[in-house]
Amino acid sequence: MKKIIFLASAVLVLNSCVVRTATKVVSGAVSLSYKAVKGTVNGISWAVSKAKGKIDEDRLDGTWKVVGVYKGSFEDFSKDQNPDGSFTSECTEGFDQIVFKAKKSKFKPVHCSSQDEDWVKYSMEFGKNPLTKEKENYIEYNSNNYISVIDANSKTMVLEGNLMPKLAFSGAKLYLLEKVK
């Protein structure tokens, strides 16, 4: 008798977990469809959607490897049916990266993981970006330079702006970064 009661309760618990998980998947897919573009770069899936609210600055903390670059703005990317978001690094050893220290509000772009650059102080804001005139998350550095933070999570981050000047001349504006550490 105890076995039957135990099995019946286990079935009810598992059934409610499956329904709850399915609900989360469906609601997650609905929220992702808002201005979302999906693609894969070097085996890294990126679903690009603009963050709907303020992004916590601590999400930026760490070392980020540049894995994808799109030649155009986020708006162009969201309209493009077949976006080419590939990136080929010129580095023979290491990779192009950017290091953020959120607690000290500074970042450092590093070319090929070895060339030491200077730390740049920044402030992260959520509001009307003076460059794009849209309400969004953005980084201001060197008094009037801006990088839009499209989205950031524990594995990937998408930035728009003049992140890598050597690529900006060819029209690159949107960058996919993968968290290294």
Side-chain angles (χ1 to χ4, degrees):
M1 186 66 176
K2 288 182 181 179
K3 288 182 182 179
I4 293 173
I5 293 173
F6 176 73
L7 287 174
S9 63
V11 167
L12 286 173
V13 168
L14 288 175
N15 191 21
S16 67
C17 289
V18 169
V19 170
R20 193 173 298 130
T21 303
T23 304
K24 286 180 183 177
V25 169
V26 170
S27 65
V30 169
S31 66
L32 185 65
S33 67
Y34 173 76
K35 277 196 171 181
V37 179
K38 296 179 182 176
T40 304
V41 176
N42 298 334
I44 299 165
S45 175
W46 62 339
V48 179
S49 63
K50 217 168 214 179
K52 295 178 187 169
K54 183 172 176 36
I55 295 174
D56 186 18
E57 190 175 348
D58 291 339
R59 286 190 190 180
L60 304 181
D61 205 34
T63 302
W64 298 86
K65 173 183 176 181
V66 178
V67 293
V69 176
Y70 180 75
K71 294 182 179 180
S73 67
F74 173 72
E75 204 59 41
D76 298 336
F77 186 85
S78 63
K79 292 175 185 173
D80 198 338
Q81 294 297 318
N82 191 16
D84 179 21
S86 61
F87 172 65
T88 306
S89 178
E90 298 171 358
C91 303
T92 54
E93 292 182 20
F95 47 85
D96 288 319
Q97 66 186 17
I98 186 166
V99 181
F100 279 94
K101 291 199 178 194
K103 291 185 189 216
K104 296 185 178 182
S105 293
K106 59 185 183 177
F107 72 91
K108 173 172 66 169
V110 182
H111 179 63
C112 296
S113 300
S114 62
Q115 296 177 354
D116 201 20
E117 300 284 332
D118 293 331
W119 287 98
V120 178
K121 292 289 283 178
Y122 73 89
S123 69
M124 185 165 168
E125 305 289 334
F126 177 69
K128 190 173 180 180
N129 185 334
L131 192 62
T132 63
K133 307 294 186 223
E134 291 185 28
K135 187 173 184 177
E136 62 188 5
N137 293 284
Y138 66 93
I139 295 171
E140 180 181 2
Y141 65 99
N142 292 342
S143 71
N144 60 353
N145 292 317
Y146 305 95
I147 298 173
S148 297
V149 182
I150 303 298
D151 197 15
N153 59 45
S154 62
K155 295 180 183 176
T156 60
M157 178 167 54
V158 180
L159 300 176
E160 180 180 11
N162 188 12
L163 186 62
M164 298 175 72
K166 64 181 180 171
L167 294 174
F169 293 120
S170 63
K173 292 182 184 172
L174 197 62
Y175 298 88
L176 170 67
L177 299 107
E178 176 188 25
K179 187 122 187 201
V180 177
K181 56 180 175 175

